[in-house]
mmCIF file of all heavy atoms in Angstrom:
data_model
loop_
_atom_site.group_PDB
_atom_site.id
_atom_site.type_symbol
_atom_site.label_atom_id
_atom_site.label_comp_id
_atom_site.label_asym_id
_atom_site.label_seq_id
_atom_site.Cartn_x
_atom_site.Cartn_y
_atom_site.Cartn_z
ATOM 1 N N MET A 33 -2.431 33.097 20.070
ATOM 2 C CA MET A 33 -2.074 34.298 20.846
ATOM 3 C C MET A 33 -2.795 34.237 22.190
ATOM 4 O O MET A 33 -3.879 34.813 22.313
ATOM 5 C CB MET A 33 -2.471 35.575 20.143
ATOM 6 C CG MET A 33 -1.975 35.603 18.609
ATOM 7 S SD MET A 33 -2.456 37.076 17.756
ATOM 8 C CE MET A 33 -4.194 36.840 17.436
ATOM 9 N N ASP A 34 -2.258 33.571 23.191
ATOM 10 C CA ASP A 34 -2.995 33.279 24.405
ATOM 11 C C ASP A 34 -2.426 34.086 25.562
ATOM 12 O O ASP A 34 -1.208 34.329 25.643
ATOM 13 C CB ASP A 34 -2.898 31.800 24.714
ATOM 14 C CG ASP A 34 -3.907 31.352 25.731
ATOM 15 O OD1 ASP A 34 -4.836 32.122 26.018
ATOM 16 O OD2 ASP A 34 -3.751 30.233 26.299
ATOM 17 N N GLY A 35 -3.328 34.443 26.488
ATOM 18 C CA GLY A 35 -2.891 35.060 27.699
ATOM 19 C C GLY A 35 -3.302 36.499 27.911
ATOM 20 O O GLY A 35 -2.898 37.175 28.848
ATOM 21 N N ASN A 36 -4.148 37.010 27.001
ATOM 22 C CA ASN A 36 -4.594 38.439 27.106
ATOM 23 C C ASN A 36 -5.347 38.656 28.415
ATOM 24 O O ASN A 36 -5.143 39.679 29.074
ATOM 25 C CB ASN A 36 -5.552 38.803 25.975
ATOM 26 C CG ASN A 36 -4.863 38.745 24.634
ATOM 27 O OD1 ASN A 36 -3.649 38.661 24.559
ATOM 28 N ND2 ASN A 36 -5.660 38.799 23.571
ATOM 29 N N GLY A 37 -6.182 37.716 28.783
ATOM 30 C CA GLY A 37 -7.045 37.877 29.952
ATOM 31 C C GLY A 37 -6.168 37.866 31.247
ATOM 32 O O GLY A 37 -6.332 38.749 32.187
ATOM 33 N N ARG A 38 -5.201 36.933 31.308
ATOM 34 C CA ARG A 38 -4.310 36.871 32.504
ATOM 35 C C ARG A 38 -3.443 38.059 32.594
ATOM 36 O O ARG A 38 -3.169 38.558 33.672
ATOM 37 C CB ARG A 38 -3.443 35.560 32.426
ATOM 38 C CG ARG A 38 -4.236 34.329 32.990
ATOM 39 C CD ARG A 38 -3.602 33.056 32.551
ATOM 40 N NE ARG A 38 -3.920 32.769 31.165
ATOM 41 C CZ ARG A 38 -3.359 31.796 30.420
ATOM 42 N NH1 ARG A 38 -2.357 31.096 30.952
ATOM 43 N NH2 ARG A 38 -3.739 31.592 29.164
ATOM 44 N N ARG A 47 -10.515 42.755 30.974
ATOM 45 C CA ARG A 47 -9.989 41.799 29.984
ATOM 46 C C ARG A 47 -9.851 42.553 28.594
ATOM 47 O O ARG A 47 -8.962 42.266 27.824
ATOM 48 C CB ARG A 47 -10.907 40.611 29.815
ATOM 49 C CG ARG A 47 -10.886 39.689 30.976
ATOM 50 C CD ARG A 47 -11.864 38.522 30.871
ATOM 51 N NE ARG A 47 -11.619 37.710 29.654
ATOM 52 C CZ ARG A 47 -10.742 36.719 29.676
ATOM 53 N NH1 ARG A 47 -10.042 36.414 30.716
ATOM 54 N NH2 ARG A 47 -10.530 36.053 28.527
ATOM 55 N N HIS A 51 -6.911 42.376 25.544
ATOM 56 C CA HIS A 51 -7.034 42.169 24.104
ATOM 57 C C HIS A 51 -6.498 43.310 23.289
ATOM 58 O O HIS A 51 -5.874 43.137 22.233
ATOM 59 C CB HIS A 51 -8.535 41.890 23.738
ATOM 60 C CG HIS A 51 -9.067 40.631 24.342
ATOM 61 N ND1 HIS A 51 -8.386 39.446 24.307
ATOM 62 C CD2 HIS A 51 -10.245 40.397 25.044
ATOM 63 C CE1 HIS A 51 -9.156 38.506 24.901
ATOM 64 N NE2 HIS A 51 -10.239 39.080 25.343
ATOM 65 N N GLY A 54 -3.076 43.029 23.159
ATOM 66 C CA GLY A 54 -2.782 41.965 22.246
ATOM 67 C C GLY A 54 -2.625 42.407 20.807
ATOM 68 O O GLY A 54 -1.832 41.827 20.025
ATOM 69 N N VAL A 55 -3.408 43.346 20.399
ATOM 70 C CA VAL A 55 -3.374 43.898 19.070
ATOM 71 C C VAL A 55 -1.970 44.527 18.881
ATOM 72 O O VAL A 55 -1.308 44.370 17.779
ATOM 73 C CB VAL A 55 -4.473 44.893 18.769
ATOM 74 C CG1 VAL A 55 -4.271 45.488 17.350
ATOM 75 C CG2 VAL A 55 -5.821 44.244 18.844
ATOM 76 N N LEU A 58 0.408 41.886 18.226
ATOM 77 C CA LEU A 58 0.207 41.357 16.864
ATOM 78 C C LEU A 58 0.941 42.247 15.888
ATOM 79 O O LEU A 58 1.644 41.744 14.972
ATOM 80 C CB LEU A 58 -1.310 41.254 16.519
ATOM 81 C CG LEU A 58 -1.644 40.836 15.118
ATOM 82 C CD1 LEU A 58 -1.109 39.465 14.803
ATOM 83 C CD2 LEU A 58 -3.187 40.923 14.922
ATOM 84 N N PHE A 76 -4.445 33.162 15.411
ATOM 85 C CA PHE A 76 -5.792 32.684 15.861
ATOM 86 C C PHE A 76 -6.452 33.902 16.575
ATOM 87 O O PHE A 76 -6.126 34.204 17.743
ATOM 88 C CB PHE A 76 -5.633 31.516 16.847
ATOM 89 C CG PHE A 76 -6.835 30.604 16.913
ATOM 90 C CD1 PHE A 76 -7.953 30.771 16.118
ATOM 91 C CD2 PHE A 76 -6.749 29.516 17.700
ATOM 92 C CE1 PHE A 76 -9.014 29.900 16.199
ATOM 93 C CE2 PHE A 76 -7.855 28.596 17.811
ATOM 94 C CZ PHE A 76 -8.922 28.798 17.043
ATOM 95 N N GLY A 77 -7.351 34.591 15.923
ATOM 96 C CA GLY A 77 -7.998 35.763 16.414
ATOM 97 C C GLY A 77 -9.268 35.563 17.185
ATOM 98 O O GLY A 77 -9.575 36.214 18.157
ATOM 99 N N ASN A 82 -15.193 30.747 20.865
ATOM 100 C CA ASN A 82 -15.103 31.978 21.637
ATOM 101 C C ASN A 82 -16.486 32.718 21.742
ATOM 102 O O ASN A 82 -16.632 33.650 22.529
ATOM 103 C CB ASN A 82 -14.054 32.937 20.988
ATOM 104 C CG ASN A 82 -12.669 32.616 21.279
ATOM 105 O OD1 ASN A 82 -11.713 32.949 20.531
ATOM 106 N ND2 ASN A 82 -12.440 31.869 22.378
ATOM 107 N N ARG A 85 -17.983 33.313 25.219
ATOM 108 C CA ARG A 85 -17.590 34.383 26.182
ATOM 109 C C ARG A 85 -18.681 35.391 26.369
ATOM 110 O O ARG A 85 -19.603 35.430 25.571
ATOM 111 C CB ARG A 85 -16.306 35.006 25.595
ATOM 112 C CG ARG A 85 -15.170 34.047 25.566
ATOM 113 C CD ARG A 85 -13.856 34.716 25.142
ATOM 114 N NE ARG A 85 -12.798 33.661 25.219
ATOM 115 C CZ ARG A 85 -11.541 33.888 25.491
ATOM 116 N NH1 ARG A 85 -11.133 35.123 25.786
ATOM 117 N NH2 ARG A 85 -10.683 32.888 25.557
ATOM 118 N N GLU A 89 -17.369 40.843 25.672
ATOM 119 C CA GLU A 89 -15.979 40.466 25.219
ATOM 120 C C GLU A 89 -15.998 40.020 23.713
ATOM 121 O O GLU A 89 -15.095 40.396 22.996
ATOM 122 C CB GLU A 89 -15.435 39.345 26.103
ATOM 123 C CG GLU A 89 -14.046 38.996 25.773
ATOM 124 C CD GLU A 89 -13.350 38.103 26.774
ATOM 125 O OE1 GLU A 89 -13.852 37.981 27.906
ATOM 126 O OE2 GLU A 89 -12.301 37.489 26.426
ATOM 127 N N LEU A 93 -13.785 41.790 20.755
ATOM 128 C CA LEU A 93 -12.864 41.074 19.782
ATOM 129 C C LEU A 93 -13.274 41.381 18.351
ATOM 130 O O LEU A 93 -12.407 41.557 17.488
ATOM 131 C CB LEU A 93 -12.936 39.507 20.105
ATOM 132 C CG LEU A 93 -12.210 39.142 21.355
ATOM 133 C CD1 LEU A 93 -12.560 37.717 21.811
ATOM 134 C CD2 LEU A 93 -10.692 39.343 21.229
ATOM 135 N N LEU A 96 -12.043 44.775 17.558
ATOM 136 C CA LEU A 96 -10.566 44.838 17.397
ATOM 137 C C LEU A 96 -10.112 44.380 16.042
ATOM 138 O O LEU A 96 -9.183 44.937 15.478
ATOM 139 C CB LEU A 96 -9.900 43.953 18.458
ATOM 140 C CG LEU A 96 -9.881 44.651 19.874
ATOM 141 C CD1 LEU A 96 -9.172 43.683 20.914
ATOM 142 C CD2 LEU A 96 -9.168 45.915 19.844
ATOM 143 N N LEU A 97 -10.839 43.359 15.467
ATOM 144 C CA LEU A 97 -10.468 42.958 14.124
ATOM 145 C C LEU A 97 -10.734 44.143 13.189
ATOM 146 O O LEU A 97 -9.883 44.537 12.345
ATOM 147 C CB LEU A 97 -11.293 41.774 13.648
ATOM 148 C CG LEU A 97 -11.112 41.362 12.220
ATOM 149 C CD1 LEU A 97 -9.691 40.756 12.050
ATOM 150 C CD2 LEU A 97 -12.142 40.422 11.705
ATOM 151 N N TYR A 100 -8.224 46.985 13.778
ATOM 152 C CA TYR A 100 -6.918 46.588 13.306
ATOM 153 C C TYR A 100 -6.784 46.748 11.756
ATOM 154 O O TYR A 100 -5.871 47.372 11.236
ATOM 155 C CB TYR A 100 -6.545 45.135 13.701
ATOM 156 C CG TYR A 100 -5.272 44.590 13.033
ATOM 157 C CD1 TYR A 100 -4.090 45.186 13.311
ATOM 158 C CD2 TYR A 100 -5.335 43.583 12.140
ATOM 159 C CE1 TYR A 100 -2.908 44.752 12.774
ATOM 160 C CE2 TYR A 100 -4.106 43.088 11.550
ATOM 161 C CZ TYR A 100 -2.951 43.701 11.863
ATOM 162 O OH TYR A 100 -1.781 43.257 11.238
ATOM 163 N N VAL A 149 -5.537 35.614 9.093
ATOM 164 C CA VAL A 149 -6.158 35.706 10.373
ATOM 165 C C VAL A 149 -7.311 34.685 10.462
ATOM 166 O O VAL A 149 -8.205 34.686 9.715
ATOM 167 C CB VAL A 149 -6.741 37.089 10.622
ATOM 168 C CG1 VAL A 149 -7.405 37.204 12.037
ATOM 169 C CG2 VAL A 149 -5.658 38.180 10.505
ATOM 170 N N PHE A 151 -10.438 33.618 12.053
ATOM 171 C CA PHE A 151 -11.489 34.437 12.806
ATOM 172 C C PHE A 151 -12.821 33.703 12.606
ATOM 173 O O PHE A 151 -13.231 33.509 11.478
ATOM 174 C CB PHE A 151 -11.554 35.861 12.231
ATOM 175 C CG PHE A 151 -12.154 36.845 13.115
ATOM 176 C CD1 PHE A 151 -11.369 37.350 14.193
ATOM 177 C CD2 PHE A 151 -13.450 37.179 13.040
ATOM 178 C CE1 PHE A 151 -11.977 38.263 15.091
ATOM 179 C CE2 PHE A 151 -14.048 38.073 13.944
ATOM 180 C CZ PHE A 151 -13.286 38.618 14.938
ATOM 181 N N TRP A 229 0.529 36.846 25.816
ATOM 182 C CA TRP A 229 0.582 37.397 24.414
ATOM 183 C C TRP A 229 0.822 38.914 24.394
ATOM 184 O O TRP A 229 1.655 39.374 23.614
ATOM 185 C CB TRP A 229 -0.734 37.038 23.676
ATOM 186 C CG TRP A 229 -0.659 37.677 22.317
ATOM 187 C CD1 TRP A 229 -1.457 38.696 21.891
ATOM 188 C CD2 TRP A 229 0.197 37.388 21.216
ATOM 189 N NE1 TRP A 229 -1.121 39.065 20.572
ATOM 190 C CE2 TRP A 229 -0.071 38.264 20.180
ATOM 191 C CE3 TRP A 229 1.301 36.472 21.017
ATOM 192 C CZ2 TRP A 229 0.643 38.275 18.956
ATOM 193 C CZ3 TRP A 229 1.993 36.497 19.803
ATOM 194 C CH2 TRP A 229 1.675 37.401 18.801
HETATM 195 C C1 FPP B 1 -6.644 34.411 24.094
HETATM 196 O O1 FPP B 1 -6.518 35.097 25.300
HETATM 197 C C2 FPP B 1 -6.834 35.399 23.031
HETATM 198 C C3 FPP B 1 -7.915 35.506 22.236
HETATM 199 C C4 FPP B 1 -9.135 34.684 22.457
HETATM 200 C C5 FPP B 1 -8.056 36.504 21.262
HETATM 201 C C6 FPP B 1 -6.784 36.969 20.598
HETATM 202 C C7 FPP B 1 -7.049 38.282 20.097
HETATM 203 C C8 FPP B 1 -6.130 39.225 20.011
HETATM 204 C C9 FPP B 1 -4.713 39.040 20.319
HETATM 205 C C10 FPP B 1 -6.555 40.571 19.607
HETATM 206 C C11 FPP B 1 -6.283 40.771 18.187
HETATM 207 C C12 FPP B 1 -7.129 40.019 17.325
HETATM 208 C C13 FPP B 1 -7.373 40.315 16.036
HETATM 209 C C14 FPP B 1 -8.209 39.454 15.239
HETATM 210 C C15 FPP B 1 -6.884 41.543 15.364
HETATM 211 P P1 FPP B 1 -7.465 34.792 26.487
HETATM 212 O O2 FPP B 1 -8.444 35.926 26.502
HETATM 213 O O3 FPP B 1 -8.047 33.438 26.377
HETATM 214 O O4 FPP B 1 -6.460 34.895 27.704
HETATM 215 P P2 FPP B 1 -6.582 34.140 29.073
HETATM 216 O O5 FPP B 1 -6.405 32.629 28.719
HETATM 217 O O6 FPP B 1 -5.440 34.656 29.893
HETATM 218 O O7 FPP B 1 -7.890 34.492 29.674
#
Side-chain angles (χ1 to χ4, degrees):
M33 310 180 285
D34 194 15
N36 296 348
R38 277 163 282 169
R47 290 175 62 82
H51 294 313
V55 175
L58 175 61
F76 207 0
N82 285 155
R85 295 186 177 213
E89 185 168 342
L93 289 166
L96 284 178
L97 175 70
Y100 171 64
V149 180
F151 202 81
W229 177 252

